[in-house]
Amino acid sequence: MPRTLQDKLAILSDAARYDASCASSGTSRRDSRDGKGLGSTEGSGICHAYAPDGRCISLLKILMTNFCIFDCAYCVNRVSSNTPRARFSPEEVVHLTTEFYRRNYIEGLFLSSGIIQTPDKTMEDMVRIARTLRLEENFRGYIHLKTIPDASPELIAEAGLYADRLSINVELPTDAAVKAYAPEKSPGQIRGAMADVKAQRRASKDRSHTGKRPAKFAPAGQSTQMIIGADGSNDATILGQSSGLYGAYGLRRVYYSAFSPIPDSSAKLPLVTPPLQREHRLYQADWLMRFYGFGVDEITGSRADGNLDLEIDPKLAWALAHREEFPLDVQRADKAMLLRVPGFGTKTVDRILATRRHRDLRYDDLRRMGAALKKARPFITLRDWSPGGTIDSADLRTRFAPPPEQLSLF
Amino acid sequence: MRTVALPRIGTAAAWRTAARGLLAAQVPPEAVLWAWDSPAQIDLFGAEPAPVAPRGDVTVPKAFVALAENVCWHSDPERFARLYAFLWRLRRQPQLMVDRGDAQLATLRGMEKNVRRCAHKMTAFVRFRDLGEAGADGRRRFAAWFEPTHHTLEPTAPFFTRRFADMDWAIHTPDVTARFEGGQLSLHEGSPRPDLPEDGADELWGTYFRNIFNPARLKVKAMTSEMPRKYWKNLPEARHIPDLIANAEARAREMAEAAPTLPPVRAERILERLHAPGVLRGMTFDDLRKRAEAENRETQPGYGRIVLGEGPADARLMVVGEQPGDVEDREGRPFVGPAGQMFDTVAAEAGLERGAAYVTNAVKRFKFTLRGKRRIHQSPTSGDIEHARWWIAQELDLVQPKLILAMGGTAAETLTGSRKGILKRRGAVEETEYGPVFLTVHPSYLLRLPDAAAKAAETARFRDDLASVAKLVA
Ligand code: SF4
């Protein structure tokens, strides 16, 4: 029986929900004020809805098809699963995208796909959808294409002209894990594709000798995703891998996706509740590496097993392990150290720096500047505040860690 | 006492004009009463009208202008008075504007944040419905009903004009209605909730909302903090939320408990075909050659043409060098220049049959700089290496050798991810994603050694390496 558009949408969005990314920020500014097109992008993207899993819905995130000839153990679409299958025609994807967009449900499209026939054939269809949206529908909203591993460089080059972001998932934290769980994928090819996107992005920024600007190539950059908790890698390995990826390919984001049980899952994988807390800590750690000047080993150095502390956040964990650096004089400390105070965000630190040029700071000022003082208190001194000896007290950690879970009577 | 009445449409601009006049006339905050959208009040107090001052007479910090522009849309009836009181202090202490600890400023900043958030939520949660018939000029027509917490339609309407410029639309709020018709935006008095029939898209959107949700990750608080309940009544997708929450646990448990099923029959067939040589990447040697020919039709300055490897397609050994040299580029064949000849000689001595191996290079194009007429070899950068990886991977996939002999840093970096410490790593087999890799130096290294004794010693070591390889693939 042919499937209706409703059925297809149900199947192909269900299949897409394991991709964590829904970002639509940081692309070039566009609008449709000329009256000839639809859509705009301005700096930060908009979350148009939130699902009860707390995730933002910003893009229409769907698979073009969930037929797939690969057999990745963690994926519901793998060839050996019995999940119901469907395939959108390119016109259907274009229709859904523009009609959803006109009703202000979404910022744009995030299209990925299972692999049908060959990688090139699959990528070709995806590029066709993006091309139709841009050139025929004059769609100026956001487009994120998940590129297919092993698709030819020319197709990727064309994809980059229409898409704001390209991504390719490294899938698992180590090459060995990819080999074990995604035997048809090649980590080397995946890295090669990322390097290629990086090179093309760079080339598109150079003016040619005629002084003409080349066409923009994936202006919102590239990102990738790693599944957490399917293999045995510890957090140090995971974060080491991310920092390598950020460095080598100039990625905008590495997404971490707690492995969650999937319908019709493979016997190869653990069926546990997804390690959401671990995922959360990894995001925090990732943030510290990118915006707070922390190195991987600093973040993962405080525990012998190379994992993050699940009970307290990684910045607090670092501060507790380096008490000799505190308490810090907020009036005088340099920016790098202020950024390391638990409870101080980058905005708070900027405000501190701007205000202390004019006058002495007081405890109440910090509250108004957005500091989380409950956390920061033991680590700072101010003209009207001193933590006394709390920094050295043995039970400092227990003040922050949540109480141990209550055991229920049975 | 002066009373300033501000209109409902154009509030912020009117406040700014009034404040400028008051400031120029040195009217202190306690002598001003602000009224919004109620002309009756003015008569009530019978007070004198606000003075007017020309633009440019009064200067204030730029940041304040932006702050006031936002705060004016807040729902707090005191907003105008608060702004003016702060402005009054600011005129003598302009540095107050950067004092993030000042209590008055903190309140205003807090209000600004509320307004911004409210405006942002409007850009997120307005839901247009298709009104069906298109206008006379062929433009489609849409409308939405929205209930913002603050008076944010006016400052937010331009966002919608930038985004939805090729259609006509109206956004109705209790306060104000914004209409965009034929490319023109206009603001009108608000109206009660109009009757906007659902269109088919709402149902599709609901389907999407239900299915993108992962029941194994229920986090209701994270949802409601970003999408507070007050918005739900105007969001078509929100009606599905109670159901999704109620059934999440059961659905997640069902997924976890369902025993793994047996793979469908077709799976085995597909995978078998997939893993046959050359299929996974969907390429044959012929395809590869055609592709190289096509790319070779265009020249790249500083680079030679693509030179593919050669040898039996079922070779047990694949020999990987750096990149074609000047001779290789001219002849279009690998390993025919001086280094290739050196390799041939030593291989023969070591009992390694070159004809039985597939020989190729990690990077497919000769990279050079011109010095006069001479093309001087340039080492490939890691960018060149990554760019070329696709080709070598295709070859590896087609040949599927038992052993790969990687000669020199470029081959090592391509196949093992690192070019470091070759001299220490040589002679051993490393496991990689491409299969087992045996590392040694590149024959051109031997050619470059100036000292005859060193050259002889290094050549002997190279010979030993090749002899080990011959044994491994025997
Ligand atoms: S390639 Fe792997 S991860 Fe991607 S859809 Fe197919 S089975 Fe899933």
Side-chain angles (χ1 to χ4, degrees), chain A residues 63 68 70-72 74-75 77-79 113-115 171 185:
Chain A
L63 264 62
C68 188
F70 280 19
D71 201 31
C72 309
Y74 48 81
C75 177
N77 305 317
R78 68 192 188 285
V79 66
S113 181
I115 296 167
E171 307 291 13
K185 289 194 175 170

Side-chain angles (χ1 to χ4, degrees), chain A residues 5-6 9-10 13-14 16-18 31-33 35 37-40 42 45-55 57 59-62 69-71 79-82 85 96 99-107 119 150-154 175 179 184 186-189 191-192 195-196 258 260-265 267 271 274 276 279 351 355 358-359 365 368-369, chain B residues 95 98-103 106 120-128 130 139-140 142 159-167 199 201-205 207-209 211-220 222-223 226-227 236-237 241 244-245 251 255-256 258-264 266-267 270-271 274-275 280-282 291 295 386-387 389-390 393-394 432-434:
Chain A
L5 188 56
Q6 285 281 358
L9 180 59
S13 49
D14 183 293
R17 69 179 174 218
Y18 303 98
D31 62 47
S32 54
R33 260 180 297 186
L38 170 67
S40 62
E42 10 195 287
I46 298 169
C47 291
H48 285 275
Y50 287 81
D53 51 18
R55 281 181 166 172
I57 301 178
L59 302 171
L60 171 63
K61 182 160 54 174
I62 46 175
I69 55 176
F70 280 19
D71 201 31
V79 66
S80 62
S81 115
N82 285 295
R85 309 276 172 172
L96 282 173
E99 289 304 308
F100 277 17
Y101 197 91
R102 284 192 188 283
R103 285 161 182 81
N104 202 37
Y105 300 156
I106 53 170
E107 292 289 286
D150 298 323
S152 76
E154 292 74 27
D175 287 4
K179 201 164 183 171
E184 289 79 26
S186 144
Q189 296 281 35
R191 284 192 289 269
D196 224 30
S260 85
I262 45 174
D264 195 23
S265 65
L271 273 177
L276 295 183
E279 179 192 282
R351 288 171 186 163
T355 307
H358 302 288
R359 62 179 178 83
D365 291 325
R368 285 191 284 267
M369 292 175 181
Chain B
Q95 81 283 3
V98 289
D99 190 330
R100 295 306 305 237
D102 184 79
H120 180 77
K121 292 298 177 196
M122 180 182 281
T123 64
F125 298 149
V126 158
R127 295 285 181 263
F128 284 118
D130 192 348
R139 290 163 68 92
R140 288 175 64 185
F142 291 81
F159 164 84
F160 292 97
T161 65
R162 291 191 294 274
R163 178 159 287 198
F164 300 105
D166 73 344
M167 60 194 219
D199 65 41
D202 280 342
E203 203 185 321
L204 281 166
W205 173 238
T207 300
Y208 177 69
F209 185 78
N211 285 284
I212 202 70
F213 162 61
N214 183 351
R217 311 179 44 119
L218 192 64
K219 276 188 181 173
V220 178
M223 167 185 65
E226 293 298 336
M227 193 168 83
E237 64 272 28
I241 293 174
L244 291 176
I245 295 177
R251 279 173 64 199
M255 284 196 285
T261 55
L262 286 177
R266 57 183 193 92
I270 292 175
L271 284 173
L274 200 58
H275 285 271
L280 192 53
R281 315 262 177 257
R291 176 90 148 247
E295 292 211 9
E386 292 310 329
H387 198 76
R389 186 182 291 283
W390 184 86
Q394 301 290 346
T432 74
E433 56 171 301
Y434 298 108

